Amino acid sequence: MRHIAIESGAFVVSVPQYIPASAFPPDFPLPLPEGKEVFGRGGAVVVEPSGGEVIAGPLYGEEGVIVADCDLRIGLRAKRLVDSSGHYGREDTLLPVLAGRNPGGPPGSADLAD
């Protein structure tokens, strides 16, 4: 989750389920494995985008709620650090290639139509 927060420049809220065996009703249509008490460990977490710091959680092995105070200005600053869309988000580099020209490419690649 940390790498997703850093690359996207956004707060990440991850909410995997905690599922104890007791959550299944007695008439559940499939038999549960013997001796298995937990089917989902949980691990809810909130991660901030500037350095990937975990600011709430992780919460394992129990039901609960985690709360974090998220300053959304941090995300605006973090988006300036990583160009996750790469050069494909820049028209000045993508449009010449789509038009069949590659002016900044290796020698002989100026006209890709050949």
Side-chain angles (χ1 to χ4, degrees):
M1 296 297 111
R2 295 179 67 211
H3 69 282
I4 295 171
I6 293 168
E7 185 175 319
S8 66
F11 284 87
V12 172
V13 179
S14 176
V15 290
Q17 296 178 353
Y18 169 68
I19 309 171
S22 61
F24 293 90
D27 61 345
F28 191 70
L30 299 173
L32 299 178
E34 294 293 325
K36 188 164 183 172
E37 295 301 316
V38 177
F39 292 89
R41 291 184 52 220
V45 68
V46 179
V47 183
E48 63 87 31
S50 65
E53 179 185 349
V54 175
I55 59 173
L59 179 63
Y60 286 107
E62 62 179 308
E63 291 183 13
V65 175
I66 59 172
V67 178
D69 184 18
C70 301
D71 182 356
L72 299 182
R73 292 173 293 191
I74 294 172
L76 294 175
R77 287 190 294 270
K79 287 184 185 296
R80 295 184 192 131
L81 298 176
V82 176
D83 180 17
S84 60
S85 63
H87 64 280
Y88 295 111
R90 293 183 46 206
E91 289 184 15
D92 60 323
T93 59
L94 182 59
L95 290 179
V97 173
L98 293 177
R101 299 182 312 277
N102 191 7
S109 67
D111 188 357
L112 297 177
D114 290 339

